[in-house]
């Protein structure tokens, strides 16, 4: 009875979120490529009137990829991984099934309204927290539903011990709940005054305090959206796909609690040399350096999981995606602490080196891991083999080239910009007017945009491969144990 | 202990939450009151300026512009005095930004004028060749939302005790009084502008977005 149940995991919700991941991935990345080209060719700002300017599109890009692409990916993998590591099918509880569907549809409605309002310029300006208060409330509802779904499934689990991935999903849920609530505290102005737009609000915090709360949020959004759930994924999918046990349980334990403990203290590195108290800045700097340890702990644990099995890098593109993801994670968690050193930050802050750093992490680590996870899930959800290994290989190289173009151009651009802003002539006067420091960057902006375009092309290849897998690939009789079956 | 936690999801969750939450309490709370205190001379925004600020937010100028002068000679030479915490006491939300695709605007009111902004917002390239800033033509068509700006001022006054209507501070008053005040401020700006359409619209009692935005930019000092 039990064994039988365990085989019938219900993937209907996971499938829905898989489609959403792909849809929002395309939208979010497409807008990203557009705004990247707008910086190189400003005429592109005028393709759609006031709605097509860099201004309106940038928050759409960030929200689109973070809350559209990535969050859907997190939900998709949760609705897949959760059942399997807890050894219980969602279908055993009609309540959880309904909850899952409500979760998906509410989320979709919310996202569509979010896209429309951001196009209209309705927002609070806080990075990654632009949505106005009615949507914030909807976000909270969606989040609570997800929480119910997590803890509901835990409640009926057969496997009593929570697998490492579960720790990270739980932490994602709790961390984001806390951060989002506090950063979005705002007062709706219409209900106080009786005038103006009903959806407008004003932040509970002012000036320096608002900045502190915002970057406590912004920094930890990186922790609990770009890092923690992705670690949840890699701890499940890499061992599963490669057939190798996790290298060290102790190291997972250390990295998990270390990450939880250290991350929250490092937010000050977004506010160095600003008007927040000096000690907050110093703490931010110091804890950023310490943060290398738990970050590399997880990454090294994953790489060592492949110990003696490096041949799989050649034979299995999915392993390749995941190993490269881990490597990019190591790169960005080394680069971050370097940027957090005060004297380096004095140069790097406000320059394009920061988006360079961001995209090592998001394209290399988050993007690769998410796509690899969905690739791994597809044959199990659709009972068909993956459509094309060749396509996957080309996608891998095209996207990797894209990422390298992206971060190398932004490193050069950022450092050039930072040096020019502070350069002086022999009399100690500033050597460059601001516009000199803009025009010199145009070639790098063009290069970056093209790198992004390559990544987007790779994403279309991913989409096509997934689509063919779902609809036209060869059916498989039984679920594969480890390496995902794929046609050449 | 960890093994035990891994079998008891409730306590596991509580543990994670505590480890995660207290860092926030320790880093944010101690200086909360101190950081919120305005420096002498800092005044709340007038309703017209607030309307401009809302347009600045609506068009995400903060995606390319910072409003934070760091204490380095290269920055004070370029932009003016470095920022003090109290100067931001009435900024809800803060608009420091995180990237300078364009220059810092913290003190742009010291060195740019109404008519400069008028030309620049309409067509940045014609004023600064090579500029990559988008033109904001729609601001010359759209009408500024004074009601929502009034609502915001009224809200911060009532909820956060922002000192409107006090000696030496901007007046807010009732909606009608505020509206009059807005018209007076706007007329001074419109007088400095060149565009006949903006002037005509103002004759009809319409304040275009660009007028409010310039009021805000002029106020940044
Ligand atoms: C040890 C780990 C890390 C440290 C210490 C770190 C440090 C930093 C620093 C110093 C900044 C620049 C702040 C500034 O001057 O504006 C930054 C920005 C950022 N980083 Fe990291 N980083 C780490 C890992 C990551 C990872 C893995 C990702 C993504 C997956 C990431 C995404 C971001 C984002 C989104 C920003 C904000 C950019 C903005 O200002 O808008 N970081 N990080
Ligand atoms: Fe950070």
């Amino acid at each position: 009875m039990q064994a039988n149940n365990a085989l019938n995991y219900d993937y209907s919700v996971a499938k829905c979120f898989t489609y959403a991941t792909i849809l929002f991935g395309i939208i979010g990345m497409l807008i990203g490529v557009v705004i990247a080209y707008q910086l190189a060719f400003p005429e592109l700002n005028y393709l759609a009137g006031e709605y097509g300017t860099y201004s309106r599109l940038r928050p759409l890009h960030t929200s689109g990829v973070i809350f559209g692409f990535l969050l859907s990916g997190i939900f998709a993998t949760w609705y897949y991984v959760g059942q399997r590591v807890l050894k219980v099918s969602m279908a055993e509880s009609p309540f959880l099934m309904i909850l899952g569907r409500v979760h998906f549809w509410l989320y979709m409605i919310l996202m569509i309204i979010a896209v429309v309002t951001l196009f209209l310029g309705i927002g609070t300006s806080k990075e990654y927290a632009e949505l106005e208060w009615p949507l914030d409330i909807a976000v909270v509802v969606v989040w609570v539903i997800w929480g119910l779904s997590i803890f509901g499934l835990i409640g009926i689990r057969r496997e009593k011990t929570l697998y490492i991935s579960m720790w990270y999903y739980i932490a994602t849920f709790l961390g984001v709940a806390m951060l989002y609530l506090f950063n979005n505290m705002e007062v709706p102005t219409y209900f106080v005054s009786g005038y103006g737009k009903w959806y407008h609000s004003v932040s509970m915090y002012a000036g320096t305090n608002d900045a502190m709360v915002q970057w406590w949020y912004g920094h930890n959004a990186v922790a609990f959206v770009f890092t923690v759930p992705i670690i949840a994924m890699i701890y499940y999918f890499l061992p599963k796909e490669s057939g190798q046990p996790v290298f060290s349980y102790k190291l997972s334990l250390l990295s998990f609690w270390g990450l939880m403990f250290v991350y929250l203290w490092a937010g000050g590195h977004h506010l160095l040399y600003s008007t927040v108290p000096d000690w907050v800045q110093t703490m931010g700097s110091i804890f950023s350096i310490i943060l290398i340890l738990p970050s590399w702990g997880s990454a090294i644990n994953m790489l060592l999981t492949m110990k003696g099995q490096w041949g799989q890098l050649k034979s299995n593109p999915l392993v390749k995606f995941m190993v490269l993801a881990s490597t990019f994670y190591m790169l960005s968690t080394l680069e971050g602490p370097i940027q957090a050193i005060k004297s380096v930050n004095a140069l790097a802050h406000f320059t394009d080196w920061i988006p360079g750093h961001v995209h090592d992490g998001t394209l290399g680590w988050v993007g690769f891991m998410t796509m690899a996870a969905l690739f791994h899930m597809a044959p199990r959800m659709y009972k068909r083999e993956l459509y094309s290994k060749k396509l996957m290989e080309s996608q891998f190289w095209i996207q990797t080239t894209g990422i390298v173009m992206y971060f190398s151009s932004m490193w050069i651009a950022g450092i050039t910009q930072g040096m020019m802003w502070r350069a002086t002539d022999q009399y100690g006067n500033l050597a460059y007017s601001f516009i000199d420091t803009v025009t010199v960057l145009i070639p790098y902006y063009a290069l970056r945009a093209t790198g992004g375009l390559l990544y987007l092309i790779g994403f279309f290849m991913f989409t096509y491969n997934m689509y063919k897998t779902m609809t036209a690939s060869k059916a498989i009789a039984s679920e594969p144990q480890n390496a995902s079956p794929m046609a050449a | 202990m960890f093994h035990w936690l891994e079998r008891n999801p409730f306590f596991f969750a509580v543990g994670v939450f505590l480890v995660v939450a207290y860092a926030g309490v320790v880093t944010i709370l101690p200086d909360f009151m101190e950081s919120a205190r305005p420096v002498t001379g800092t005044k709340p925004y007038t309703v017209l300026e607030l309307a401009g600020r809302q347009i600045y937010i609506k068009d995400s100028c903060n995606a390319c512009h910072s409003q934070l002068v760091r204490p380095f000679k290269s920055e004070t030479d370029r932009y003016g005095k470095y920022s003090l915490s109290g100067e931001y006491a009435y900024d809800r939300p803060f608009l420091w930004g995180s990237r300078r695709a364009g220059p810092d605007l913290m003190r742009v009111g010291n060195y740019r004028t109404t008519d400069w902004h008028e030309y620049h917002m309409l067509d940045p390239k014609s004023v600064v060749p090579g500029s990559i800033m988008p033109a904001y033509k729609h601001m010359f068509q759209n009408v500024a939302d004074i009601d929502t700006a009034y609502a915001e001022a009224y809200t911060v006054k009532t909820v956060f005790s922002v000192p409107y209507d006090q000696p030496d501070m901007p007046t807010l008053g009732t909606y009608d009084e505020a509206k009059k005040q807005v018209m007076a401020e706007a007329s001074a700006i419109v007088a400095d502008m060149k565009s006949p359409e903006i002037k005509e619209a103002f004759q009809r009692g319409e304040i275009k977005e660009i007028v409010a935005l310039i009021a805000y930019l002029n106020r940044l000092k």
Side-chain angles (χ1 to χ4, degrees):
Chain A
M1 164 72 190
Q2 272 194 16
N4 196 19
N5 265 340
L7 282 179
N8 290 324
Y9 297 121
D10 190 291
Y11 297 131
S12 48
V13 183
K15 284 180 189 169
C16 288
F17 277 113
T18 299
Y19 308 137
T21 313
I22 294 173
L23 175 71
F24 290 123
I26 291 175
I27 297 177
M29 293 180 204
L30 185 68
I31 297 179
V33 172
V34 171
I35 60 177
Y37 275 115
Q38 283 178 336
L39 289 179
F41 308 103
E43 296 72 29
L44 294 173
N45 274 293
Y46 315 116
L47 298 178
E50 82 178 83
Y51 308 104
T53 56
Y54 180 90
S55 298
R56 292 288 170 86
L57 295 182
R58 203 199 100 129
L60 268 166
H61 163 62
T62 51
S63 295
V65 290
I66 300 172
F67 301 114
F69 166 69
L70 175 51
L71 205 55
S72 292
I74 295 168
F75 291 148
T77 61
W78 156 256
Y79 281 105
Y80 177 92
V81 172
Q83 305 180 65
R84 301 178 70 109
V85 298
L86 296 171
K87 300 262 185 304
V88 57
S89 169
M90 269 177 81
E92 292 172 49
S93 159
F95 173 68
L96 287 180
M97 286 306 297
I98 294 173
L99 211 58
R101 296 215 175 92
V102 173
H103 180 194
F104 175 76
W105 285 110
L106 265 183
Y107 166 83
M108 283 306 277
I109 294 169
L110 167 63
M111 282 305 296
I112 288 163
I113 302 178
V115 168
V116 173
T117 56
L118 290 178
F119 263 120
L120 293 176
I122 299 169
T124 61
S125 90
K126 287 193 167 192
E127 269 180 89
Y128 329 127
E130 283 95 352
L131 301 182
E132 268 295 2
W133 67 270
L135 288 174
D136 285 338
I137 293 175
V139 170
V140 172
V141 172
V142 168
W143 207 253
V144 168
I145 293 177
W146 187 44
L148 286 175
S149 147
I150 294 179
F151 287 99
L153 204 63
I154 288 178
I156 58 169
R157 72 194 188 281
R158 293 204 183 78
E159 172 58 61
K160 290 298 169 207
T161 304
L162 301 181
Y163 178 64
I164 307 170
S165 297
M166 285 300 301
W167 315 346
Y168 284 97
Y169 280 119
I170 292 176
T172 303
F173 169 74
L174 292 171
V176 173
M178 170 185 82
L179 297 164
Y180 200 86
L181 273 180
F182 281 99
N183 191 41
N184 286 289
M185 288 293 172
E186 51 218 357
V187 184
T189 53
Y190 175 79
F191 295 98
V192 177
S193 68
Y195 287 98
K197 303 244 162 59
W198 65 272
Y199 49 76
H200 182 72
S201 69
V202 56
S203 173
M204 282 271 270
Y205 321 104
T208 302
N209 286 332
D210 199 40
M212 275 213 279
V213 176
Q214 161 61 26
W215 283 109
W216 169 76
Y217 166 86
H219 167 75
N220 295 302
V222 168
F224 289 97
V225 183
F226 293 162
T227 301
V228 169
I230 316 300
I231 301 180
M233 292 182 202
I234 199 165
Y235 265 113
Y236 177 82
F237 291 105
L238 184 64
K240 196 76 188 161
E241 179 71 27
S242 67
Q244 298 302 303
V246 170
F247 170 71
S248 159
Y249 167 76
K250 280 220 181 85
L251 194 52
S252 355
L253 204 59
L254 212 70
S255 320
F256 177 79
W257 289 102
L259 201 73
M260 293 299 117
F261 178 77
V262 179
Y263 229 111
L264 277 280
W265 295 94
H269 63 217
H270 295 268
L271 298 168
L272 299 178
Y273 294 108
S274 74
T275 62
V276 308
D278 278 340
W279 68 271
V280 174
Q281 302 184 24
T282 308
M283 294 267 281
S285 251
I286 295 172
F287 274 94
S288 297
I289 312 285
I290 304 176
L291 196 50
I292 299 181
L293 292 175
S295 307
W296 280 42
S298 302
I300 289 174
N301 207 6
M302 284 302 107
L303 293 181
L304 288 181
T305 293
M306 295 309 297
K307 200 176 52 169
Q309 287 289 324
W310 296 107
Q312 288 199 25
L313 278 187
K314 270 200 142 145
S315 58
N316 187 343
L318 291 194
V319 170
K320 201 153 68 181
F321 271 108
M322 290 192 251
V323 166
L324 197 74
S326 242
T327 313
F328 271 117
Y329 181 48
M330 290 177 81
L331 175 66
S332 47
T333 53
L334 178 64
E335 186 183 22
I338 292 174
Q339 294 183 333
I341 299 168
K342 277 188 108 171
S343 54
V344 178
N345 195 265
L347 180 84
H349 188 54
F350 289 141
T351 72
D352 284 304
W353 188 8
I354 305 298
H357 157 70
V358 172
H359 288 81
D360 293 343
T362 49
L363 300 180
W365 159 239
V366 174
F368 271 26
M369 188 55 229
T370 306
M371 289 186 293
L374 297 186
F375 267 144
H376 174 97
M377 287 156 58
R380 281 117 183 134
M381 295 197 301
Y382 299 98
K383 317 263 182 286
R384 290 170 188 272
E385 63 177 20
L386 286 167
Y387 177 68
S388 165
K389 179 174 175 184
K390 230 182 13 255
L391 197 58
M392 221 178 271
E393 293 278 359
S394 328
Q395 180 202 335
F396 177 86
W397 288 112
I398 288 177
Q399 290 193 311
T400 305
T401 311
I403 302 175
V404 173
M405 278 170 72
Y406 195 117
F407 72 71
S408 48
S409 57
M410 287 296 96
W411 282 354
I412 303 173
I415 292 170
T416 306
Q417 202 177 21
M419 299 297 276
M420 285 176 82
W421 286 342
R422 58 162 69 162
T424 51
D425 63 16
Q426 53 189 338
Y427 307 107
N429 298 319
L430 293 173
Y432 300 101
S433 67
F434 194 90
I435 190 67
D436 299 335
T437 72
V438 175
T439 44
V440 71
L441 299 180
I442 303 288
Y444 302 108
Y445 282 150
L447 207 61
R448 181 264 297 267
T450 308
L453 179 63
L454 289 183
Y455 197 88
L456 177 68
I457 291 173
F459 197 79
F460 277 115
M461 297 165 81
F462 164 75
T463 304
Y464 179 75
N465 216 345
M466 286 292 283
Y467 172 72
K468 290 302 248 186
T469 301
M470 293 170 197
T471 54
S473 213
K474 200 169 93 219
I476 48 179
S478 66
E479 180 171 288
Q481 264 296 325
N482 299 118
S484 303
M486 50 188 85
Chain B
M1 180 181 88
F2 292 111
H3 282 288
W4 182 82
L5 278 181
E6 283 153 33
R7 300 178 66 85
N8 289 278
F10 177 74
F11 293 101
F12 179 88
V14 172
V16 169
F17 187 77
L18 290 179
V19 171
V20 167
Y22 90 111
V25 176
V26 176
T27 45
I28 296 178
L29 285 187
D31 291 292
F32 220 76
M33 298 314 288
E34 179 71 32
S35 302
R37 210 165 296 149
V39 292
T40 0
T42 305
K43 293 184 179 174
Y45 296 97
T46 67
V47 172
L48 187 65
E49 289 162 2
L50 262 188
R53 196 169 192 274
Q54 288 173 359
I55 294 159
Y56 188 97
I57 290 171
K58 180 176 166 198
D59 270 305
S60 290
C61 310
N62 53 300
C64 286
H65 290 286
S66 59
Q67 287 190 23
L68 177 76
V69 183
R70 296 179 296 168
F72 310 137
K73 183 161 187 305
S74 58
E75 300 222 341
T76 52
D77 279 2
R78 196 181 291 278
Y79 304 117
K81 211 160 56 68
Y82 62 80
S83 302
L84 301 174
S85 183
E87 292 181 274
Y88 300 106
Y90 303 118
D91 279 16
R92 292 170 195 269
F94 80 114
L95 290 173
W96 296 358
S98 58
R99 192 162 129 270
R100 279 184 190 150
D104 191 274
L105 298 180
M106 175 80 189
R107 308 198 189 281
V108 70
N110 288 331
Y111 45 84
R112 296 290 181 216
T113 52
T114 297
D115 55 337
W116 191 91
H117 287 308
E118 181 184 1
Y119 291 126
H120 185 253
M121 296 304 294
L122 194 61
D123 186 8
K125 268 200 175 130
S126 69
V127 182
V128 182
S131 177
I132 59 167
M133 174 163 147
Y136 287 94
K137 297 197 167 53
H138 62 264
M139 290 185 184
F140 292 74
Q141 254 98 59
N142 297 352
V143 178
D145 184 355
I146 303 298
D147 286 13
T148 305
Y150 174 78
E152 185 172 320
Y154 182 91
T155 304
V156 293
K157 181 187 172 193
T158 8
V159 180
F160 304 113
S161 314
V162 169
Y164 285 105
D165 299 321
Q166 286 179 17
D168 265 352
M169 291 291 173
T171 49
L172 181 61
T174 63
Y175 175 77
D176 292 326
E177 287 163 355
K179 197 85 195 234
K180 245 192 227 122
Q181 172 94 21
V182 165
M183 292 310 276
E185 274 174 53
S187 93
I189 291 177
V190 171
D192 285 343
M193 292 178 70
K194 302 284 179 288
S195 155
E197 288 86 19
I198 299 287
K199 288 180 195 284
E200 265 165 43
F202 187 69
Q203 295 303 317
R204 294 195 303 272
E206 254 178 32
I207 301 174
K208 298 291 188 188
E209 283 188 336
I210 185 70
V211 178
L213 181 77
I214 292 178
Y216 173 62
L217 292 175
N218 285 343
R219 138 84 194 239
L220 294 174
K221 285 186 169 156

